Amino acid sequence: MGNAIKLASFLETNSNIELAKVIVSLAEGCKIIARLVNNAGLTGIIGTTGDTNVQGETVQKLDDLSNKILMDYLRASETCAGYLSEENEGTVTLNQNGRYIISVDPLDGSANIDICAPIGTIFNLNQRISAAGEVTHADFFQQGTTTKCAGYFIYGSSTILVLSTGNGVNGFTLNTEDNEFYLSHPSMKISENGKIYSLNQGNVGKFDEGVKNFISFCSTVDKETSRPYSLRYIGSMVGDLHRTFIKGGIFIYPANKGEKKGKLRLLYECIPMSFLTEQAGGKATDGKNRILEIQPTELHERTAIFIGSKNLVEKAEEFLRS
Ligand code: AHG
Ligand code: MN
Ligand code: MN
């Protein structure tokens, strides 16, 4: 790999030792998840556990496995004090004297495992507020503006870690030869404009007028403004947002008649993705309010989200206001 920068050396100059230990432990756990995902068809771990999680959603075997792997690896970091996951009802204390707490979606887009579409792990890291001992809910109810590190691993045609510790966004690709992450996407930026819109248009009947009007704006023929835009929707937030980072565009999961506050979870999907998006020059709101300034009050609370290219998010907000 010549002089390519390894994740560990990048962290030496872009984080402190305790934070680096959490990130490296997380990355080691996600290397295992990547291998499980890549071999899923051969090892009988496709399919569901038969349980439903606190979200009332069917738990895929890989959701459960990923969750357990991450708890083990983060416990071993010794610097991660507490763990909140989509798959656990409450918070878990991992190291009483740890300084960091993590909110994580162990496997995002897990309905896509059996069709081999991109899925991923999304995480948000804060410093704990409580001094030591058992973590408290207050440790996790911090606004996104206090995030110390956020990122995602995408398990797709390659395994890539996209990470920010507050000074921009960098991508690291897993080299399958030596099983190490190397810097492959330095200083990622989301273009201000975009020509792709991404949402589950099947729900259009349940959307508010403003969202419907924005969808017709995107699909109107207008050569001057390169419309109609393309509609792309993978059904994995990680996959749809990684494309948005690379190609620009807007991803929307709005509130709708069936889901009063939308579907996506604030603490371990929307805040980390919004932190990354803002660090890359994009914008992320609930249609009106900046996601990073929403005050969390419940562990698994949901929020509507409009995220991606700044000018497209602002265009959508215009339709929501009118
Ligand atoms: P998860 O698999 O962690 O529950 O997340 C699935 C989420 C998100 O990844 C995706 O954007 C969204 O569900 C898709 O929802 P719809 O199928 O309702 O469009
Ligand atoms: Mn998810
Ligand atoms: Mn998930």
Coordinates of all heavy atoms in Angstrom, one line a residue, residues 57-112:
E57 N -39.8 -3.8 15.3 CA -39.4 -4.3 14.0 C -38.8 -5.7 14.1 O -38.2 -6.1 15.2 CB -38.3 -3.3 13.5 CG -38.9 -2.0 13.1 CD -37.8 -0.9 12.8 OE1 -36.6 -1.2 13.1 OE2 -38.1 0.1 12.3
T58 N -39.0 -6.5 13.1 CA -38.4 -7.8 13.0 C -36.9 -7.8 13.1 O -36.3 -6.9 12.5 CB -38.8 -8.5 11.7 OG1 -40.2 -8.3 11.5 CG2 -38.4 -10.0 11.7
V59 N -36.3 -8.6 14.0 CA -34.8 -8.5 14.2 C -34.2 -9.6 13.2 O -34.5 -10.8 13.3 CB -34.4 -8.9 15.7 CG1 -32.9 -8.9 15.8 CG2 -35.1 -7.9 16.6
Q60 N -33.3 -9.1 12.4 CA -32.5 -10.0 11.5 C -31.4 -10.7 12.4 O -30.9 -10.0 13.3 CB -31.9 -9.3 10.4 CG -32.8 -8.5 9.5 CD -33.7 -9.3 8.6 OE1 -33.4 -10.5 8.3 NE2 -34.9 -8.9 8.3
K61 N -31.1 -11.9 12.1 CA -30.0 -12.6 12.9 C -28.8 -11.7 12.9 O -28.1 -11.5 13.9 CB -29.7 -13.9 12.2 CG -30.7 -15.0 12.5 CD -30.3 -16.3 11.8 CE -31.5 -17.3 11.8 NZ -31.3 -18.4 10.8
L62 N -28.5 -11.0 11.7 CA -27.2 -10.2 11.7 C -27.4 -8.9 12.5 O -26.4 -8.4 13.0 CB -26.9 -9.9 10.2 CG -25.7 -10.7 9.6 CD1 -25.6 -10.4 8.1 CD2 -24.4 -10.4 10.3
D63 N -28.6 -8.4 12.7 CA -28.8 -7.3 13.6 C -28.3 -7.7 15.0 O -27.5 -7.0 15.7 CB -30.3 -7.0 13.8 CG -30.9 -6.2 12.6 OD1 -30.2 -5.3 12.0 OD2 -32.0 -6.5 12.2
D64 N -28.7 -8.8 15.4 CA -28.5 -9.3 16.8 C -27.0 -9.6 17.0 O -26.3 -9.2 17.9 CB -29.2 -10.6 16.9 CG -29.6 -10.9 18.4 OD1 -29.7 -9.9 19.1 OD2 -29.6 -12.1 18.8
L65 N -26.4 -10.3 16.0 CA -25.0 -10.7 16.0 C -24.1 -9.4 16.0 O -23.2 -9.3 16.8 CB -24.7 -11.5 14.8 CG -23.7 -12.6 14.8 CD1 -23.8 -13.4 16.1 CD2 -23.8 -13.5 13.6
S66 N -24.4 -8.5 15.1 CA -23.6 -7.2 15.0 C -23.7 -6.5 16.4 O -22.7 -6.0 16.9 CB -24.2 -6.3 13.9 OG -24.3 -7.0 12.7
N67 N -24.9 -6.4 17.0 CA -25.0 -5.7 18.2 C -24.1 -6.4 19.3 O -23.4 -5.7 20.0 CB -26.5 -5.8 18.7 CG -26.9 -4.9 19.8 OD1 -26.4 -3.8 19.9 ND2 -27.7 -5.4 20.7
K68 N -24.1 -7.7 19.4 CA -23.3 -8.4 20.4 C -21.8 -8.2 20.1 O -21.1 -7.9 21.1 CB -23.7 -9.9 20.4 CG -25.1 -10.2 21.0 CD -25.3 -11.7 21.2 CE -26.6 -12.0 21.9 NZ -27.8 -11.9 21.0
I69 N -21.4 -8.3 18.9 CA -20.0 -8.1 18.5 C -19.6 -6.7 19.0 O -18.5 -6.5 19.6 CB -19.8 -8.3 17.0 CG1 -19.9 -9.7 16.6 CG2 -18.4 -7.7 16.6 CD1 -20.1 -10.0 15.1
L70 N -20.4 -5.7 18.7 CA -20.0 -4.3 19.0 C -19.9 -4.1 20.5 O -18.9 -3.4 21.0 CB -20.9 -3.3 18.3 CG -20.8 -3.3 16.8 CD1 -21.8 -2.2 16.2 CD2 -19.4 -3.0 16.3
M71 N -20.8 -4.7 21.2 CA -20.7 -4.5 22.7 C -19.5 -5.1 23.2 O -18.8 -4.5 24.1 CB -22.0 -5.1 23.4 CG -23.2 -4.2 23.3 SD -24.5 -4.7 24.4 CE -25.2 -6.0 23.4
D72 N -19.1 -6.3 22.7 CA -17.9 -7.0 23.2 C -16.6 -6.2 22.9 O -15.8 -5.9 23.7 CB -17.7 -8.4 22.5 CG -18.8 -9.4 23.1 OD1 -19.4 -9.0 24.1 OD2 -18.9 -10.5 22.5
Y73 N -16.5 -5.7 21.6 CA -15.3 -5.0 21.2 C -15.2 -3.6 21.9 O -14.2 -3.2 22.3 CB -15.3 -4.8 19.7 CG -14.7 -6.0 19.0 CD1 -15.4 -7.2 18.8 CD2 -13.4 -6.0 18.5 CE1 -14.9 -8.3 18.2 CE2 -12.8 -7.1 17.9 CZ -13.6 -8.2 17.8 OH -13.0 -9.3 17.2
L74 N -16.4 -2.9 22.1 CA -16.3 -1.6 22.8 C -16.0 -1.8 24.3 O -15.4 -1.0 24.9 CB -17.6 -0.9 22.5 CG -17.7 -0.3 21.1 CD1 -19.2 0.0 20.7 CD2 -16.8 0.9 20.9
R75 N -16.5 -2.9 24.8 CA -16.2 -3.2 26.3 C -14.6 -3.3 26.4 O -14.0 -2.8 27.2 CB -16.9 -4.4 26.7 CG -16.8 -4.7 28.2 CD -17.6 -5.9 28.7 NE -19.1 -5.6 28.7 CZ -19.9 -6.2 27.8 NH1 -19.5 -7.0 26.9 NH2 -21.2 -5.9 27.9
A76 N -14.1 -4.0 25.4 CA -12.6 -4.3 25.4 C -11.8 -3.0 25.2 O -10.6 -2.9 25.5 CB -12.3 -5.3 24.3
S77 N -12.5 -1.9 24.7 CA -11.7 -0.6 24.5 C -11.3 0.0 25.8 O -10.3 0.8 25.8 CB -12.6 0.4 23.7 OG -13.5 0.9 24.6
E78 N -12.0 -0.3 26.9 CA -11.8 0.2 28.2 C -12.1 1.7 28.3 O -12.2 2.3 29.4 CB -10.4 -0.1 28.7 CG -10.2 -1.6 28.9 CD -8.7 -1.9 29.2 OE1 -7.9 -1.0 29.2 OE2 -8.5 -3.1 29.5
T79 N -12.3 2.4 27.2 CA -12.5 3.9 27.2 C -14.0 4.2 26.8 O -14.4 5.3 27.0 CB -11.6 4.7 26.3 OG1 -11.7 4.1 25.0 CG2 -10.2 4.6 26.8
C80 N -14.7 3.2 26.4 CA -16.1 3.4 26.1 C -17.0 3.1 27.3 O -17.1 1.9 27.7 CB -16.6 2.6 24.9 SG -18.2 3.0 24.3
A81 N -17.6 4.1 27.9 CA -18.3 3.9 29.2 C -19.7 3.3 28.9 O -20.1 2.4 29.6 CB -18.5 5.2 29.9
G82 N -20.4 3.8 27.9 CA -21.8 3.4 27.7 C -22.2 3.2 26.3 O -21.6 3.8 25.4
Y83 N -23.2 2.4 26.1 CA -23.6 1.9 24.8 C -25.2 2.0 24.7 O -25.9 1.5 25.5 CB -23.2 0.4 24.7 CG -23.5 -0.3 23.4 CD1 -22.6 -0.2 22.3 CD2 -24.6 -1.1 23.2 CE1 -22.8 -0.9 21.1 CE2 -24.9 -1.8 22.0 CZ -23.9 -1.7 21.0 OH -24.2 -2.4 19.8
L84 N -25.6 2.7 23.6 CA -27.1 2.8 23.3 C -27.2 2.2 21.8 O -26.4 2.6 21.0 CB -27.6 4.2 23.3 CG -28.9 4.4 22.6 CD1 -30.1 3.7 23.4 CD2 -29.3 5.9 22.4
S85 N -28.1 1.3 21.7 CA -28.2 0.7 20.3 C -29.7 0.6 19.9 O -30.6 0.4 20.8 CB -27.6 -0.7 20.4 OG -28.2 -1.6 19.4
E86 N -29.9 0.6 18.6 CA -31.3 0.3 18.1 C -31.8 -1.0 18.7 O -33.0 -1.2 18.8 CB -31.2 0.3 16.6 CG -32.6 0.0 16.0 CD -32.5 -0.4 14.5 OE1 -31.3 -0.4 14.0 OE2 -33.5 -0.6 13.9
E87 N -30.9 -1.9 18.9 CA -31.4 -3.3 19.3 C -31.5 -3.5 20.8 O -31.9 -4.6 21.2 CB -30.4 -4.3 18.7 CG -30.1 -4.2 17.2 CD -31.4 -4.3 16.4 OE1 -32.4 -4.9 16.8 OE2 -31.5 -3.7 15.3
N88 N -31.2 -2.5 21.6 CA -31.3 -2.7 23.1 C -32.4 -1.7 23.5 O -32.3 -0.5 23.1 CB -30.0 -2.4 23.8 CG -28.9 -3.4 23.4 OD1 -29.2 -4.5 23.0 ND2 -27.7 -3.0 23.6
E89 N -33.2 -2.1 24.5 CA -34.3 -1.2 25.0 C -33.6 0.0 25.7 O -33.9 1.1 25.5 CB -35.2 -2.0 25.9 CG -36.4 -1.1 26.4 CD -37.6 -1.9 26.6 OE1 -37.6 -3.1 26.5 OE2 -38.6 -1.2 26.9
G90 N -32.7 -0.4 26.6 CA -32.1 0.7 27.5 C -30.6 0.8 27.2 O -30.1 0.3 26.2
T91 N -29.9 1.7 28.0 CA -28.5 1.9 27.8 C -27.7 0.8 28.6 O -28.2 0.2 29.5 CB -28.0 3.3 28.3 OG1 -28.4 3.3 29.7 CG2 -28.8 4.4 27.6
V92 N -26.5 0.5 28.1 CA -25.6 -0.5 28.8 C -24.3 0.2 29.2 O -23.7 0.9 28.4 CB -25.3 -1.6 27.8 CG1 -24.4 -2.7 28.4 CG2 -26.6 -2.3 27.2
T93 N -23.9 -0.1 30.5 CA -22.6 0.4 30.9 C -21.5 -0.6 30.6 O -21.7 -1.8 30.9 CB -22.6 0.7 32.5 OG1 -23.6 1.7 32.7 CG2 -21.3 1.2 33.0
L94 N -20.5 -0.1 29.9 CA -19.5 -1.1 29.4 C -18.2 -1.0 30.3 O -17.6 -1.9 30.7 CB -19.1 -0.8 28.0 CG -20.2 -1.0 26.9 CD1 -19.7 -0.6 25.5 CD2 -20.7 -2.5 26.9
N95 N -17.8 0.3 30.6 CA -16.6 0.5 31.4 C -16.9 1.7 32.3 O -17.0 2.8 31.9 CB -15.4 0.9 30.5 CG -15.0 -0.3 29.6 OD1 -14.5 -1.3 30.1 ND2 -15.3 -0.2 28.3
Q96 N -17.0 1.5 33.7 CA -17.5 2.5 34.6 C -16.6 3.7 34.6 O -17.1 4.8 34.8 CB -17.5 1.9 36.0 CG -18.4 0.7 36.2 CD -19.4 0.8 37.2 OE1 -19.4 1.7 38.0 NE2 -20.4 -0.1 37.2
N97 N -15.3 3.6 34.2 CA -14.4 4.7 34.2 C -14.2 5.3 32.8 O -13.3 6.1 32.6 CB -13.1 4.4 34.9 CG -13.4 4.0 36.4 OD1 -14.2 4.7 37.0 ND2 -12.8 2.9 36.8
G98 N -14.9 4.8 31.8 CA -14.7 5.2 30.5 C -15.2 6.7 30.3 O -16.0 7.2 31.1
R99 N -14.7 7.4 29.3 CA -15.0 8.8 29.1 C -16.0 9.0 28.0 O -16.7 10.0 28.0 CB -13.7 9.6 28.8 CG -13.8 11.1 29.0 CD -12.5 11.6 29.5 NE -11.5 11.7 28.4 CZ -11.3 12.9 27.7 NH1 -11.9 14.0 28.0 NH2 -10.4 12.9 26.8
Y100 N -16.2 8.0 27.1 CA -17.0 8.2 25.9 C -18.3 7.4 26.0 O -18.3 6.3 26.6 CB -16.2 8.0 24.7 CG -15.2 9.0 24.4 CD1 -13.9 8.9 24.9 CD2 -15.6 10.2 23.8 CE1 -13.0 9.9 24.7 CE2 -14.7 11.2 23.6 CZ -13.4 11.1 24.1 OH -12.5 12.1 23.9
I101 N -19.3 7.9 25.4 CA -20.6 7.0 25.2 C -20.9 7.0 23.7 O -20.6 7.9 23.0 CB -21.8 7.6 26.0 CG1 -22.0 9.1 25.6 CG2 -21.6 7.5 27.5 CD1 -23.3 9.3 24.8
I102 N -21.4 5.8 23.3 CA -21.7 5.6 21.9 C -23.2 5.3 21.6 O -23.8 4.6 22.4 CB -20.8 4.5 21.3 CG1 -20.9 4.4 19.8 CG2 -21.1 3.1 21.9 CD1 -19.8 3.6 19.1
S103 N -23.7 5.9 20.6 CA -25.1 5.6 20.2 C -24.9 5.0 18.8 O -24.3 5.6 17.9 CB -26.0 6.9 20.0 OG -26.0 7.5 21.3
V104 N -25.5 3.7 18.6 CA -25.1 3.0 17.4 C -26.3 2.3 16.8 O -27.2 1.8 17.5 CB -23.9 2.1 17.7 CG1 -24.3 1.0 18.7 CG2 -23.4 1.4 16.4
D105 N -26.3 2.3 15.5 CA -27.2 1.4 14.7 C -26.3 0.3 14.2 O -25.6 0.5 13.2 CB -27.9 2.2 13.6 CG -28.8 1.4 12.7 OD1 -28.9 0.1 13.0 OD2 -29.4 1.9 11.8
P106 N -26.3 -0.9 14.9 CA -25.3 -1.9 14.5 C -25.4 -2.3 13.1 O -24.4 -2.6 12.4 CB -25.7 -3.1 15.5 CG -26.6 -2.5 16.5 CD -27.3 -1.3 15.9
L107 N -26.7 -2.5 12.6 CA -26.8 -2.8 11.2 C -27.9 -2.0 10.6 O -29.1 -2.3 10.9 CB -27.0 -4.3 11.0 CG -26.5 -4.9 9.7 CD1 -25.0 -4.7 9.5 CD2 -26.8 -6.4 9.6
D108 N -27.6 -1.1 9.7 CA -28.6 -0.2 9.1 C -29.0 -0.8 7.8 O -28.1 -1.2 7.0 CB -28.1 1.2 8.9 CG -29.0 2.1 8.2 OD1 -30.1 2.4 8.7 OD2 -28.7 2.4 7.0
G109 N -30.3 -0.8 7.5 CA -30.7 -1.3 6.2 C -30.8 -2.8 6.2 O -30.7 -3.5 5.1
S110 N -31.0 -3.4 7.4 CA -30.9 -4.9 7.5 C -31.9 -5.7 6.6 O -31.7 -6.8 6.3 CB -30.9 -5.4 8.9 OG -31.9 -4.8 9.6
A111 N -33.0 -5.0 6.2 CA -33.9 -5.6 5.3 C -33.3 -5.9 4.0 O -33.8 -6.7 3.2 CB -35.2 -4.8 5.1
N112 N -32.1 -5.3 3.7 CA -31.4 -5.5 2.4 C -30.4 -6.6 2.5 O -29.7 -6.8 1.4 CB -30.7 -4.2 2.1 CG -31.7 -3.2 1.4 OD1 -32.6 -3.7 0.7 ND2 -31.5 -1.9 1.6

